[in-house]
């Protein structure tokens, strides 16, 4: 005898529940940027002498969150990877999708390496965050960090531009701007305080030490900024569409009298939280990045060759 009809009917439902849970996890990873930045900044205030080892960890999490945002864009196109690739292939965007994958997920790997190098050079006394001399590691690490971040953000923006008709209903640009606003503001703030302290405009006195000026005050400002961004995130990442009666949940589960959307986050949302903390998918994505780049380049060359063959000028020349 085959499986019961009810069990067979529940199989697609379970798959759809899993896909919905994946959406929750992508969003959780992004909104966790706020508590991660706030907690590390607060620890930087409490442990000023150790802040130079703690604050760089925000850059690693930032790269993870950007990868989560890219996954979120992909899920909005279609939650199932195979079906998503068929859609993008039909639209002529599969090659770009593979190349964007590489540029997004090279950032977490590069950031992890750079942070490890920064921690080592800081302990060895050759980092020197306030110096612009190329003999110190700060200049090189900052340069590589900026380049890899620019490539990653540029790739996400390009992918958003190419697929905005498929994802416009979810307002992804607002979500990206609110998320990257944290990073941009932190970068501006860090550069400003670095300039003011290195140029002598801010200097230690009877009330403030050098660590207060270079670490304590910027970290305190970051904590205050995170409170403001948390309110912005309530609008950028509303929970309504992901509830049982929400638009996205209904879309994934279908609509009609036979559709029964259900809550899939687990007790107190712990199921979705634990899945969000599981970064195996990010590790897998980083490992797949070089393969994706190879596929993307191969498809780009194929598309260029196909376009050249269809060019009327080439046909006229051959004739």
């Amino acid at each position: 005898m085959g499986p019961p009809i009810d069990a067979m009917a529940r199989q697609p439902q379970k798959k759809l529940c899993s896909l919905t849970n994946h959406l929750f996890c992508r969003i959780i990873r992004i909104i966790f940027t706020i508590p991660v930045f706030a907690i590390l900044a607060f620890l930087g205030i409490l442990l000023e002498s150790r802040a130079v080892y703690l604050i760089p960890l925000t850059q690693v999490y930032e790269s993870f969150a950007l990868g989560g945002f890219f996954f979120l864009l992909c899920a909005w196109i279609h939650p199932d990877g195979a079906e998503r690739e068929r859609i993008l292939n039909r639209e002529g965007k599969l090659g770009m999708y593979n190349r964007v994958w590489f540029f997004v997920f090279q950032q977490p790997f590069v950031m992890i390496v750079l942070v490890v190098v920064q921690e080592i050079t800081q302990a060895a006394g050759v980092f020197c965050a306030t110096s612009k001399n190329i003999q110190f590691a700060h200049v090189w690490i900052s340069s590589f960090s900026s380049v890899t971040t620019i490539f990653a953000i540029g790739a996400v923006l390009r992918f958003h531009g190419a697929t905005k008709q498929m994802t416009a209903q979810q307002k992804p640009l607002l979500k990206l701007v609110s998320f990257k606003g944290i990073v941009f503001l932190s970068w501006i703030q860090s550069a400003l305080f670095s300039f003011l302290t290195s140029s002598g405009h801010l200097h230690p006195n009877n009330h403030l030490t050098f660590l207060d000026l270079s670490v304590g005050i910027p970290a305190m400002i970051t904590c205050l900024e995170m409170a403001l961004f948390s309110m912005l995130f309530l609008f950028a990442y509303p929970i309504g569409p992901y509830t049982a009666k929400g638009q996205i949940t209904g879309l994934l589960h279908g609509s009609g009298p036979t559709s029964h959307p259900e809550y899939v986050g687990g007790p107190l949302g712990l199921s979705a939280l634990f899945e969000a903390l599981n970064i195996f998918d990010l590790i897998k994505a980083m490992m797949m990045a070089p393969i994706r780049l190879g596929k993307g380049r191969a498809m780009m060359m194929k598309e260029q060759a196909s376009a050249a063959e269809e060019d009327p000028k080439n046909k006229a020349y051959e004739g």
Side-chain angles (χ1 to χ4, degrees):
M1 293 179 63
I5 295 178
D6 289 345
M8 294 176 63
R10 282 196 296 268
Q11 291 304 315
Q13 181 74 6
K14 289 181 179 179
K15 182 177 181 181
L16 290 171
C17 288
S18 176
L19 295 175
T20 309
N21 210 17
H22 285 319
L23 281 175
F24 293 153
C25 296
R26 309 308 184 210
I27 295 176
I28 289 173
R29 284 177 181 169
I30 297 169
I31 63 177
F32 261 30
T33 304
I34 291 177
V36 167
F37 271 63
I39 291 172
L40 289 175
F42 182 68
L43 291 176
I45 297 173
L46 293 179
L47 309 168
E48 281 189 341
S49 61
R50 301 297 178 185
V52 290
Y53 301 103
L54 295 172
I55 302 300
L57 297 178
T58 59
Q59 299 177 5
V60 176
Y61 190 83
E62 170 205 339
S63 64
F64 286 168
L66 186 62
F69 184 83
F70 173 70
F71 276 150
L72 187 60
L73 285 176
C74 294
W76 282 335
I77 296 172
H78 199 283
D80 182 70
E83 182 61 28
R84 182 192 315 130
E85 291 194 2
R86 281 194 289 269
I87 293 172
L88 292 173
N89 188 40
R90 185 177 66 242
E91 298 292 329
K93 297 179 174 64
L94 184 57
M96 181 205 62
Y97 166 71
N98 285 314
R99 295 192 298 274
V100 167
W101 184 294
F102 169 79
F103 285 111
V104 170
F105 290 106
Q106 54 81 29
Q107 189 193 18
F109 175 78
V110 174
M111 281 299 183
I112 291 172
V113 173
L114 291 179
V115 167
V116 170
V117 173
Q118 179 172 340
E119 305 285 0
I120 294 173
T121 54
Q122 182 69 46
V126 293
F127 181 72
C128 197
T130 59
S131 175
K132 304 300 180 184
N133 195 319
I134 60 173
Q135 69 179 358
F136 293 108
H138 166 69
V139 175
W140 298 102
I141 292 175
S142 297
S143 299
F144 281 117
S145 176
S146 298
V147 170
T148 189
T149 300
I150 289 172
F151 275 122
I153 296 176
V156 170
L157 289 174
R158 183 185 177 193
F159 186 70
H160 161 67
T163 60
K164 60 183 178 182
Q165 292 183 347
M166 307 179 197
T167 62
Q169 193 173 8
Q170 312 304 332
K171 300 179 180 178
L173 189 58
L174 172 62
K175 292 174 170 58
L176 178 61
V177 170
S178 59
F179 155 58
K180 296 308 293 184
I182 296 175
V183 179
F184 179 73
L185 192 59
S186 298
W187 180 81
I188 291 292
Q189 178 179 295
S190 175
L192 177 62
F193 274 90
S194 177
F195 169 76
L196 292 176
T197 53
S198 61
S199 62
H201 289 83
L202 287 179
H203 50 80
N205 53 39
N206 295 333
H207 303 286
L208 297 172
T209 66
F210 177 77
L211 285 177
D212 290 333
L213 297 173
S214 60
V215 176
I217 294 177
M220 181 183 66
I221 295 175
T222 297
C223 290
L224 297 175
E225 291 167 348
M226 293 307 103
L228 298 177
F229 273 104
S230 65
M231 291 185 284
L232 175 61
F233 269 43
L234 292 176
F235 297 96
Y237 296 91
I239 193 174
Y242 301 93
T243 59
K245 296 181 180 180
Q247 179 182 14
I248 294 178
T249 304
L251 177 64
L252 289 175
H253 289 267
S255 58
T258 60
S259 176
H260 301 286
E262 61 184 62
Y263 175 70
V264 294
L268 301 177
L270 293 178
S271 176
L273 177 60
F274 288 144
E275 186 169 346
L277 294 175
N278 181 4
I279 62 171
F280 178 76
D281 58 336
L282 292 173
I283 295 174
K284 183 179 178 181
M286 286 188 282
M287 295 174 63
M288 290 291 295
I291 300 175
R292 291 279 185 176
L293 179 62
K295 289 182 178 180
R297 285 184 172 178
M299 294 192 69
M300 181 178 64
M301 294 176 64
K302 184 178 179 180
E303 290 168 359
Q304 290 176 346
S306 177
E309 291 177 359
E310 296 176 359
D311 191 342
K313 293 182 179 180
N314 291 341
K315 291 183 178 180
Y317 178 77
E318 291 175 359

